[in-house]
Amino acid sequence: MGTLVNIFTLLLTALVLENAVFSRALDITSLLVLPFGKRGLRLFGMILTGTTTIASLIAGLLNPLLGRWENVQYLRPVVYIVILTLLYGCVCFLLNWRKRDWFSGHHSMITMAFFNCAAYGAMALTVYSGFSWLESAVSGLGIGLSFLLALFVLEQGRRCMSICNIPKAFRGLPSELVYVGLISLSLYGLVGHQLAA
Amino acid sequence: MLQYEQKAPYVRNRDSAFTFMMDVVIALLPLYFMAFYFYGFRALMMGLFSVAAAVVSDVVCLLLEGKKPYLRDISSVVIGMILPLMMSAATPYYVVVSAEVFAVVFVKHVFGGVGQSVFNPAAAGFAFAAACWPSQVFSYPAPFSSLEVFGPVSQTLSNGPSWNLFQGGVPTIDVLDLLLGKFMGPMGLTNILVLATCLFYLLFRGAIGWQAPLSFFAIMVTAMLCFPRVPESGPMSLVHEATTGMWVFGGIFLLNEPGTLPKRSSARLAYGALAAVFTILFQRFGQMEQTFAFALLLTNVFGFTLDRNSERLLRQLRRAYLATRTKHSEKKSAQRA
Amino acid sequence: MRQEQNTVKKNLRKELDLIFVQNPVLVTGLALAPAVVGSFTMKNGVGLCLVFGMVTIPVLVLASFLGMLPEKVPQYVRTMACALLAALMLIPARMLAAQIAPNLFDSLGMYFSAVALNTVWLVRAPLCQEKKTLWSLWEGVCLTVGFSLCVMAVSTVRELLAYGTLWGKATALPLKFPAVAYVFAGFIVVGTAAAVLRWCVDRCHDILTLIRRQQKKWRA
């Protein structure tokens, strides 16, 4: 029961309090800029959720082993990126082998889902927070879901801003950044302090 | 039929945006009078500086956008008057001015100016000030202490009863003093009776709708009565929370800002309820003593969505009603035949 | 010969556009996370620029070499090679960063290494596979300069406003806004910088059009 409560709290924290997009700006580029369209972005969010969950699970499992190295601080990021690369290679190979048509249409989306701040951030956060493998997986899942939540919120914001008479210089990316900034400010009232990078 | 989506304010009667805003200004004046009564000229000067900063930044933004300043647009005056009332009377002027400039430039004008705001400018300004200078914003002087009009305040400042509540303690203030607003707190938020009068005035004048405040206050009062934050009886918890918190003031002046408020009645009811839920969550799990402004900013995100979805829901209900009516009349005509 | 020269000039201009007109962060919106979160002091800004340059330039050069491989080699294998090189480049970048400021790595936290997976090279590397090595190098340099200009401008403003200092040294600024160092302010400052850049580019464009019209008139 205690573990379940712990997992639920962790998931809720990752979704709201430490929302990967609003509190840490992880993968904000994919959210604001990538031309995948509404449906494409949702699919991207789901792929990203899978990526962050698996990546942080692997990181959680590897952390005790990595901790034994002498120059672990230098090598940990390299190891994480190598793991992400190998994971990406495996997924691409399998998809290319089994579902070639789908893969050729979604290749860029899969690349972006693996090589971004969110996937790396999910792995790095397992070290900063000292998570076990289960907690790491839940935290990764929370980061992916928080991207989907942010996507929903930004969709509403875009609809609302589309009928506003926004000054020319602020139209598009600048106003969206200010919009995300103000949501981030509202969540600051809940957290009350700056999160560790 | 073509339907165009339009942003607020939606003025239905002969009153204009100017008369609506004048009503809000008139409703704010008693609060300034009480602030003057408790803290002297410094309270008025804070209001004056704030309004001046708001108007100047508004005019500068308009000129930068290549628009002409419109004399009958007093929205910046309203923002300028609301913001200092949420702060301590001893707050340095630069804090008020900075918060005001932030509110007008980054919240009002970035999204298109008057009536187009996506977020409440005054709430955002307060949130910015609270994030930047929490010690200045949340340190209060005692009422009837003569504060210096210019320069730093020499009186001892301390945390108000809202801090006690935030820490899980029960404030030891006489109930009469609480109702009269004779305790340390933000300069315009402590007078619950005056605030209630303001609410009735605005409702009577039609400057604000009844829907959002009704659902907001109903949920807030129920939550305070049934689930007190500190170990005390429900009614006492309600008195403490209502007199020391920002939510009563916010429920009257911030929640009903026409730029962010949904246009449909059902959406407004849902909006008020959502604001109440967020306020309670922020109050229970937040890390600041006054969190209403932050909760409202998050509520603002869903205002437009509620409007859209309520419209869709109503349209579907109307269609279903018309379909059943046609079926019924067809049945009747068949029976007659 | 003249045609070739014109093409070179055109390409040079096109790549130079990456500094201002097509700035990777403020206009294209790539690599936003480090620019928003990490750039709250000038030292951090320099650290980010250093990692960005050390990762992006070699990766784009490698991408142009990968373009010479036979078409049979799938795109994802090329991307993997680029990612591995980016990861390896983090080691010398970390060593150099320690020379600039010993606590730079800790101050930037995960964003130091996250720059290795920046979207700039992810978007540009497939394009660089069709270019010559020298052009890829030039593109990498232009992208680094564009990123550095944005990050340094944002970090200078944020350090000045948040702490009242420049490169850690106190200035005469009487007012400090501590919250400007926070993430929400990062979003707002970067958003405002993007708007300012767009306004400047639009004005420059207007002025240039006016001058061209005048020149045409005079010629006529």
Side-chain angles (χ1 to χ4, degrees):
Chain A
M1 188 65 189
T3 320
L4 267 177
V5 172
N6 195 16
I7 285 171
F8 182 72
T9 317
L10 205 64
L11 201 63
L12 213 64
T13 310
L15 264 175
V16 185
L17 283 181
E18 297 183 8
N19 187 293
V21 176
F22 299 129
S23 303
R24 295 187 196 271
L26 294 178
D27 220 15
I28 185 77
T29 297
S30 314
L31 195 68
L32 296 179
V33 180
L34 293 186
F36 295 146
K38 252 186 229 170
R39 277 189 185 177
L41 266 175
R42 275 176 212 160
L43 180 67
F44 174 77
M46 283 175 217
I47 298 170
L48 183 76
T49 310
T51 312
T52 50
T53 312
I54 295 167
S56 50
L57 174 67
I58 294 172
L61 287 168
L62 268 182
N63 282 338
L65 295 172
L66 286 175
R68 289 179 199 161
W69 287 7
E70 202 177 323
N71 290 321
V72 69
Q73 274 195 330
Y74 281 90
L75 292 170
R76 199 190 294 272
V78 181
V79 172
Y80 284 168
I81 296 173
V82 170
I83 289 170
L84 271 177
T85 312
L86 292 176
L87 209 62
Y88 167 75
C90 290
V91 169
C92 287
F93 176 75
L94 284 174
L95 285 172
N96 198 24
W97 181 37
R98 304 292 296 181
K99 289 193 167 184
R100 185 166 287 210
D101 289 343
W102 189 87
F103 177 66
S104 58
H106 296 85
H107 174 242
S108 61
M109 197 183 277
I110 292 165
T111 309
M112 287 292 172
F114 275 88
F115 299 118
N116 59 50
C117 291
Y120 175 77
M123 294 177 98
L125 280 174
T126 58
V127 187
Y128 293 120
S129 315
F131 286 150
S132 67
W133 66 270
L134 184 64
E135 288 169 333
S136 302
V138 174
S139 148
L141 178 72
I143 287 175
L145 291 178
S146 70
F147 178 84
L148 283 168
L149 182 75
L151 187 67
F152 168 76
V153 169
L154 201 75
E155 262 178 34
Q156 310 310 316
R158 278 189 178 136
R159 268 190 201 143
C160 186
M161 283 188 282
S162 67
I163 55 165
C164 287
N165 187 19
I166 296 174
K168 203 181 161 194
F170 272 96
R171 264 172 230 166
L173 180 71
S175 62
E176 281 173 12
L177 277 168
V178 176
Y179 182 85
V180 174
L182 288 169
I183 297 172
S184 177
L185 171 62
S186 77
L187 288 179
Y188 179 83
L190 213 53
V191 184
H193 59 88
Q194 174 76 339
L195 294 175
Chain B
M1 188 179 75
L2 279 173
Q3 276 199 333
Y4 294 102
E5 283 176 312
Q6 285 287 318
K7 281 290 291 183
Y10 307 100
V11 184
R12 287 179 183 171
N13 53 19
R14 61 203 159 116
D15 293 341
S16 64
F18 175 75
T19 53
F20 156 74
M21 281 167 192
M22 270 313 286
D23 279 334
V24 179
V25 170
I26 290 166
L28 286 167
L29 286 177
L31 292 172
Y32 268 96
F33 177 76
M34 289 308 289
F36 170 68
Y37 174 66
F38 284 133
Y39 303 106
F41 274 104
R42 192 180 170 91
L44 294 185
M45 285 307 287
M46 271 179 74
L48 206 68
F49 271 107
S50 177
V51 170
V55 172
V56 169
S57 40
D58 194 37
V59 170
V60 170
C61 284
L62 282 171
L63 292 175
L64 279 174
E65 285 169 37
K67 293 175 188 166
K68 273 185 184 174
Y70 183 51
L71 275 179
R72 282 177 74 84
D73 169 25
I74 53 166
S75 58
S76 48
V77 176
V78 174
I79 302 168
M81 283 181 81
I82 288 175
L83 210 132
L85 290 172
M86 296 189 274
M87 293 182 185
S88 155
T91 310
Y93 294 132
Y94 71 82
V95 173
V96 185
V97 171
S98 310
E100 206 57 66
V101 172
F102 178 83
V104 173
V105 176
F106 292 107
V107 188
K108 188 184 167 193
H109 277 281
V110 162
F111 297 106
V114 64
Q116 311 262 331
S117 27
V118 178
F119 294 95
N120 188 305
F126 177 80
F128 176 72
C132 265
W133 306 280
S135 55
Q136 275 102 323
V137 175
F138 297 127
S139 299
Y140 308 107
F144 303 115
S145 51
S146 52
L147 301 172
E148 286 85 350
V149 178
F150 293 104
V153 171
S154 59
Q155 274 76 17
T156 358
L157 307 175
S158 54
N159 298 313
S162 56
W163 173 256
N164 291 351
L165 283 168
F166 172 62
Q167 292 292 317
V170 182
T172 50
I173 304 169
D174 188 50
V175 177
L176 191 67
D177 283 350
L178 277 173
L179 292 175
L180 293 174
K182 252 168 59 184
F183 61 90
M184 284 189 259
M187 66 183 213
L189 272 62
T190 54
N191 314 290
I192 188 94
L193 299 175
V194 183
L195 281 172
T197 320
C198 293
L199 175 64
F200 287 122
Y201 170 77
L202 290 172
L203 283 172
F204 176 73
R205 286 282 301 158
I208 60 172
W210 55 269
Q211 299 92 341
L214 178 78
S215 56
F216 176 75
F217 285 120
I219 292 176
M220 285 304 289
V221 168
T222 315
M224 299 302 156
L225 279 173
C226 302
F227 310 104
R229 210 172 11 151
V230 286
E232 60 179 339
S233 67
M236 271 317 289
S237 155
L238 176 64
V239 171
H240 281 141
E241 297 281 9
T243 48
T244 61
M246 193 194 277
W247 57 272
V248 177
F249 177 86
I252 301 166
F253 291 101
L254 301 181
L255 188 72
N256 297 296
E257 203 253 332
T260 51
L261 196 68
K263 58 182 174 179
R264 288 189 175 272
S265 300
S266 51
R268 282 182 181 186
L269 278 166
Y271 182 76
L274 191 68
V277 170
F278 279 147
T279 308
I280 293 162
L281 286 176
F282 272 63
Q283 210 178 42
R284 302 289 155 110
F285 303 108
Q287 299 297 317
M288 284 198 185
E289 54 177 285
Q290 301 284 10
T291 47
F292 177 80
F294 296 96
L296 184 67
L297 285 180
L298 203 59
T299 316
N300 289 159
V301 173
F302 300 99
F304 189 73
T305 316
L306 289 173
D307 230 356
R308 262 179 76 91
N309 290 330
S310 76
E311 199 171 317
R312 199 179 293 166
L313 191 76
L314 283 174
R315 210 177 292 156
Q316 278 173 355
L317 283 174
R318 204 176 297 145
R319 263 184 214 155
Y321 169 71
L322 283 174
T324 44
R325 220 171 94 176
T326 343
K327 243 185 190 176
H328 193 69
S329 58
E330 274 173 6
K331 236 183 193 178
K332 262 190 176 177
S333 57
Q335 274 174 357
R336 268 180 211 161
Chain C
M1 185 70 182
R2 187 173 278 179
Q3 209 175 354
E4 225 171 70
Q5 269 182 348
N6 279 344
T7 324
V8 170
K9 261 186 190 176
K10 230 183 193 178
N11 281 343
L12 263 174
R13 258 188 221 164
K14 212 177 163 186
E15 302 292 353
L16 274 174
D17 276 354
L18 291 171
I19 296 173
F20 283 111
V21 183
Q22 290 295 320
N23 186 287
V25 184
L26 298 179
V27 179
T28 325
L30 302 172
L32 275 171
V36 166
V37 187
S39 59
F40 57 90
T41 62
M42 284 179 81
K43 279 180 188 169
N44 278 6
V46 169
L48 286 174
C49 300
L50 182 88
V51 195
F52 186 89
M54 287 193 71
V55 167
T56 310
I57 298 173
V59 166
L60 292 187
V61 172
L62 176 72
S64 72
F65 283 126
L66 291 172
M68 295 169 197
L69 291 175
E71 274 186 25
K72 270 186 187 175
V73 180
Q75 183 60 42
Y76 69 86
V77 174
R78 297 164 202 240
T79 313
M80 282 172 74
C82 290
L84 287 175
L85 179 67
L88 286 176
M89 288 312 290
L90 277 178
I91 300 171
R94 167 88 201 262
M95 286 169 176
L96 256 176
Q99 299 293 318
I100 296 170
N103 61 346
L104 193 60
F105 184 78
D106 298 323
S107 169
L108 280 168
M110 66 176 159
Y111 295 94
F112 185 92
S113 314
V115 178
L117 296 179
N118 67 68
T119 34
V120 176
W121 74 253
L122 269 177
V123 171
R124 286 278 164 182
L127 302 173
C128 281
Q129 286 177 19
E130 290 153 17
K131 287 180 184 172
K132 283 179 185 168
T133 315
L134 212 61
W135 280 118
S136 295
L137 181 73
W138 177 236
E139 183 168 329
V141 170
C142 288
L143 283 167
T144 308
V145 172
F147 178 84
S148 307
L149 276 175
C150 160
V151 166
M152 286 317 292
V154 170
S155 55
T156 308
V157 169
R158 284 179 77 187
E159 186 180 346
L160 199 64
L161 291 176
Y163 308 112
T165 58
L166 278 177
W167 199 264
K169 283 175 188 164
T171 57
L173 202 76
L175 204 60
K176 286 176 196 167
F177 302 83
V180 175
Y182 300 166
V183 177
F184 79 83
F187 282 116
I188 295 171
V189 173
V190 173
T192 312
V196 170
L197 181 69
R198 187 182 289 176
W199 188 84
C200 292
V201 168
D202 282 355
R203 291 292 83 79
C204 287
H205 188 258
D206 289 349
I207 292 166
L208 281 174
T209 325
L210 203 77
I211 291 170
R212 269 176 211 150
R213 265 187 211 159
Q214 287 294 335
Q215 277 178 341
K216 264 185 189 175
K217 263 187 190 177
W218 286 333
R219 271 177 207 162

